[in-house]
C-alpha cells in the first residue's frame, strides 16, 4: 500500500477512464455522499463511473443519487473505495472486490491499508471532507450535485456540526460550498437528516424517556427494557440503533446505561460516558469491552439483577475517581 | 436614529469609557453571548462595562460570565443594547433605560430603531455574528472568553447550524474562531446547549410522542394535551416552550399542531408548517395570526371539538393547494 497526497489522488482521478466506486455496507450519509460526489466528478469529465453498495441505499439519501440511471454496464479500469476503513465493511454482495481496490479515499485512522493506494486524512471530519479537497484539486467544475453530496456527508458525520470532529477546516469547506451554491436548501437537508423520525422511533424514544432511572444523585442514568416491554410495544432490537447515548441526555448525567433483555437469559448492556469515567473498564470486568466513552457487555441474569450489578460497578467507579 | 456601519460601531466602542450593556428579558445564548463578548472587549481595554438583564441568566449560560464579579457600581457614559429588537423586550427591571439607549447591536430586521445609533445586519445569523464583525474591526486582541461567547451565540441561534440563517459567512466566522482557539471544547458546549435536558422535559417529550395522531395520510400530525393530562403529569404550560414544532418531527408531516387545553374553556393551538401551507391563514380564520410557517390561535371549545375544527381547516387547506 502506498499513501497518496491529495494532489496525487486528484491526478489519478483525472486519468481514470472508468471506475466502480465502492461504499460500505449499511450506507450512511458520508459514504453515500463521498461515493456519489466522486461519481459525479468523473462523469462530468465524460468518464464512466458507478457507485456500488452491498446494501440498499436508504430512501433519505436518494436525493443524492441520479434520478434515472442510464449508464450501461461496463468493465471498470479502476476500483475505488470511499469511506471504507476495512474490507470487512464491503458487505456480502461486494466480496468479489476484496484485494482488488486500486484507490481508497478515507478519513478513518483505523484504515487497514487494504487498497493499493490510499488517500487518508485522519483529521478530516468525513470522507466527504477528503473528497472535497481532491475534487477541488482536480480543477474541474464543482457541480451542484457534488456540492449537495459533500455537504450532506459532512453534516451527517459531524451530527450537524455538533461533534468534536467538526474543526476549522470543516467549517471553512462548508462556507466555500455555500458561497458557490447559496441556494441549495441546506436547512431542508438538515431537517431530513436530523429532525425527521418515523412515528415508531419517536414513540420508542418516548418509552425510553419514561423508563429512565437516576442513581448517584443523577450522575448515573439507566434505562431497562425488558422482553415484556419490547413485546408490548412491538419493538425490535434493531430499533435501538443510535440510542445508546439516550440516557446521557439527562442534565447532570455522567454515565448512562441501556439494558436490553434478550433471549436465553442474556441482558445486553450499552454503557456511555460523558465525563472522565472509563466505561470500557467496567464492561471489561463483565467480559465485554469498547472505548473509554462507549462500551458494551452481556450479563446472564434477570434485568433487575443485571441493573443492580451495573449500578454497583458504576457507583464503585465514581467512588474510586 | 442613525444607522452605523461596522467600522463606525467599532469606533464608538474604542472611544467608550464605560457602558451598561442591556440584553433582552428571558435571555438566550445569543443575547448573553453578544452582551458578554462586548463587555469583555471593553474590559480588555481597561474600560468599565457591565451586562444587565431583567431576568436571571439561566445556569447553562453561566460559563460565559466572569466567575467572580469584582467591578464596583459605576455611572455609565454609554448605554448599549445587544440582540434587542424592541424596547418592550427590556423586561420589567430595565424599564428605566427606555429612550436612553445610545447604541444597539442587532440582527433582527424587525428592530424598531429605538436606539440613537443602530448597527444592524439583518442577514446575520445572530447578534453574535454582528458583534464578531465589530470586535474584529476594533483590532483588539480577540480573547478566549470573547471567542466562547460568540461561538455559543452563533451556535444557539442557528440551532447548531441547522437552520437556514446559517450561511457562508456564519460558517466562515466559526472557522476563524476555531482557527484562533482550536482548544475551546466546542463539542462540549454543543452538548450542553442542545442535547442535555432536564428529566422532566425528557418525560414531557415522551408523553407528547405518545399523544401524536396522524391525519391526511400522515401529512398532518396533531398532539392534544388536556388539562387532565397536564395535572396527571404535573406539567405547566411554560414547560411546552420550544415544543410547538414537535409534531413536525414525524416523517411525512407537512403541518403539525399542538393543542393545549387551558382554563375557562379555551384551547390554545400552535400550528407549524414545514411545507407550502400558510398556517397563518388558518389561524387568522379563528381570530389568531402569525407567520406562514408558525402561527397560533385560540378556540373556545372542548379539546375534541377544537381538534376536529383544526383538522377540518387543515384538510381543506390541503385540498385547495
Amino acid at each position: 500500500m502506498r499513501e497518496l497526497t491529495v494532489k496525487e489522488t486528484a491526478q489519478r482521478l483525472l486519468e481514470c477512464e472508468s471506475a466502480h466506486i465502492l461504499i460500505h455496507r449499511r450506507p450512511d450519509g458520508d459514504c453515500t455522499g463521498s461515493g456519489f460526489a466522486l461519481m459525479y466528478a468523473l462523469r462530468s469529465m465524460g468518464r464512466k463511473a458507478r457507485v456500488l453498495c452491498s446494501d440498499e441505499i436508504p430512501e433519505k439519501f436518494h436525493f443524492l443519487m441520479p434520478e434515472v440511471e442510464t449508464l450501461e454496464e461496463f468493465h471498470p479500469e479502476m476500483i475505488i473505495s470511499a469511506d471504507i476503513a476495512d474490507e470487512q465493511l464491503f458487505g456480502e454482495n461486494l466480496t468479489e472486490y476484496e484485494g482488488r481496490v486500486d484507490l481508497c479515499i478515507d478519513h478513518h485512522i483505523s484504515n487497514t491499508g487494504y487498497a493499493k493506494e490510499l488517500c487518508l486524512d485522519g483529521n478530516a471530519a468525513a470522507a466527504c471532507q477528503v473528497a472535497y479537497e481532491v475534487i477541488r484539486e482536480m480543477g474541474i467544475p464543482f457541480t451542484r450535485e457534488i456540492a449537495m453530496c459533500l455537504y450532506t456527508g459532512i453534516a451527517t458525520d459531524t451530527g450537524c456540526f455538533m461533534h468534536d470532529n467538526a474543526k476549522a477546516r470543516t467549517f471553512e469547506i462548508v462556507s466555500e460550498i455555500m458561497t458557490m451554491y447559496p441556494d441549495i436548501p441546506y436547512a431542508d437537508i438538515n431537517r431530513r437528516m436530523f429532525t425527521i423520525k418515523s412515528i415508531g422511533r419517536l414513540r420508542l424514544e418516548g418509552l425510553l424517556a419514561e423508563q429512565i432511572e437516576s442513581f448517584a444523585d443523577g450522575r448515573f442514568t439507566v434505562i431497562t427494557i425488558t422482553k415484556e416491554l419490547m413485546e408490548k410495544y412491538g419493538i425490535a432490537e434493531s430499533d435501538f440503533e443510535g440510542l445508546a447515548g439516550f440516557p446521557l441526555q439527562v442534565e447532570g448525567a455522567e454515565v448512562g446505561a441501556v439494558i436490553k433483555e434478550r433471549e436465553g437469559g442474556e441482558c445486553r448492556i450499552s454503557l456511555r460516558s460523558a465525563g472522565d469515567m472509563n466505561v470500557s473498564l467496567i464492561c471489561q470486568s463483565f467480559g465485554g469491552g469498547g472505548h473509554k466513552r462507549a462500551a458494551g457487555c452481556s450479563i446472564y441474569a434477570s434485568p433487575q439483577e443485571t441493573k443492580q450489578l451495573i449500578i454497583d460497578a458504576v457507583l464503585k467507579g465514581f467512588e474510586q475517581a
Side-chain angles (χ1 to χ4, degrees), chain A:
Chain A
M1 189 275 290
R2 185 171 163 250
E3 281 219 39
L4 297 189
T5 63
V6 165
K7 195 167 183 155
E8 288 168 327
T9 309
Q11 200 53 43
R12 291 286 183 282
L13 294 178
L14 287 170
E15 288 162 4
C16 169
E17 284 302 324
S18 64
H20 279 176
I21 301 166
L22 317 184
I23 61 175
H24 60 71
R25 71 180 180 197
R26 298 169 72 189
D28 59 11
D30 191 29
C31 77
T32 306
S34 56
F36 281 96
L38 293 167
M39 183 195 86
Y40 290 126
L42 288 169
R43 288 189 181 184
S44 75
M45 300 187 296
R47 319 293 167 76
K48 286 180 178 165
R50 187 190 291 283
V51 173
L52 300 181
C53 187
S54 189
D55 299 321
E56 215 173 308
I57 291 176
E59 206 193 326
K60 70 193 287 199
F61 304 128
H62 282 192
F63 75 105
L64 302 176
M65 299 160 64
E67 275 185 48
V68 188
E69 180 54 270
T70 54
L71 187 68
E72 286 175 18
E73 295 287 326
F74 61 92
H75 185 79
E77 176 199 312
M78 204 170 169
I79 310 295
I80 299 172
S81 67
D83 196 38
I84 307 184
D86 189 318
E87 287 188 325
Q88 290 189 3
L89 300 171
F90 285 4
E92 56 187 7
N93 297 318
L94 295 181
T95 50
E96 59 179 300
Y97 290 95
E98 284 173 18
R100 289 178 54 207
V101 174
D102 298 293
L103 172 63
C104 170
I105 293 174
D106 193 17
H107 71 121
H108 296 96
I109 41 166
S110 58
N111 191 292
T112 61
Y114 60 87
K116 294 189 191 81
E117 296 188 311
L118 171 64
C119 179
L120 178 77
D121 180 356
N123 283 315
C128 278
Q129 184 169 334
V130 188
Y132 177 86
E133 310 285 11
V134 171
I135 293 169
R136 292 297 285 164
E137 182 66 36
M138 288 169 74
I140 58 174
F142 202 93
T143 67
R144 185 184 165 91
E145 288 72 29
I146 293 175
M148 289 230 289
C149 282
L150 297 183
Y151 174 81
T152 302
I154 292 171
T156 52
D157 249 30
T158 57
C160 208
F161 312 98
M162 200 179 283
H163 306 324
D164 62 6
N165 58 346
K167 297 195 170 74
R169 180 63 182 149
T170 316
F171 279 87
E172 189 177 38
I173 287 171
V174 173
S175 175
E176 288 170 13
I177 290 173
M178 287 185 166
T179 301
M180 285 187 276
Y181 292 101
D183 61 324
I184 286 177
Y186 300 100
D188 286 346
I189 294 175
N190 296 336
R191 185 170 175 270
R192 269 182 281 168
M193 296 298 119
F194 301 106
T195 308
I196 295 178
K197 297 167 184 172
S198 70
I199 200 154
R201 172 71 173 217
L202 212 53
R203 292 219 168 105
L204 173 59
E205 292 186 14
L207 178 64
L208 293 185
E210 277 180 14
Q211 308 299 319
I212 291 181
E213 295 176 281
S214 285
F215 303 93
D217 296 326
R219 295 171 69 193
F220 181 41
T221 43
V222 182
I223 295 172
T224 313
I225 306 288
T226 59
K227 274 194 301 187
E228 194 188 335
L229 213 59
M230 289 176 73
E231 277 156 23
K232 185 175 166 194
Y233 290 94
I235 307 164
E237 195 167 331
S238 61
D239 293 332
F240 287 91
E241 204 173 303
L243 286 176
F246 197 88
L248 277 186
Q249 283 182 83
V250 180
E251 209 167 9
E254 296 169 37
V255 179
V258 176
I259 301 170
K260 281 166 291 183
E261 185 183 13
R262 281 182 174 169
E263 294 300 323
E266 180 190 356
C267 281
R268 183 72 200 166
I269 300 105
S270 298
L271 266 188
R272 292 290 181 274
S273 170
D276 292 328
M277 187 176 298
N278 185 341
V279 290
S280 78
L281 295 179
I282 291 171
C283 289
Q284 275 168 30
S285 74
F286 293 108
H291 307 281
K292 189 188 166 191
R293 289 190 155 190
C297 59
S298 285
I299 292 178
Y300 287 82
S302 73
Q304 279 306 314
E305 289 164 334
T306 301
K307 185 169 77 181
Q308 198 54 55
L309 286 168
I310 292 292
I311 293 170
D312 292 345
V314 170
L315 264 54
K316 206 171 129 194
F318 281 139
E319 279 164 22
Q320 287 168 349

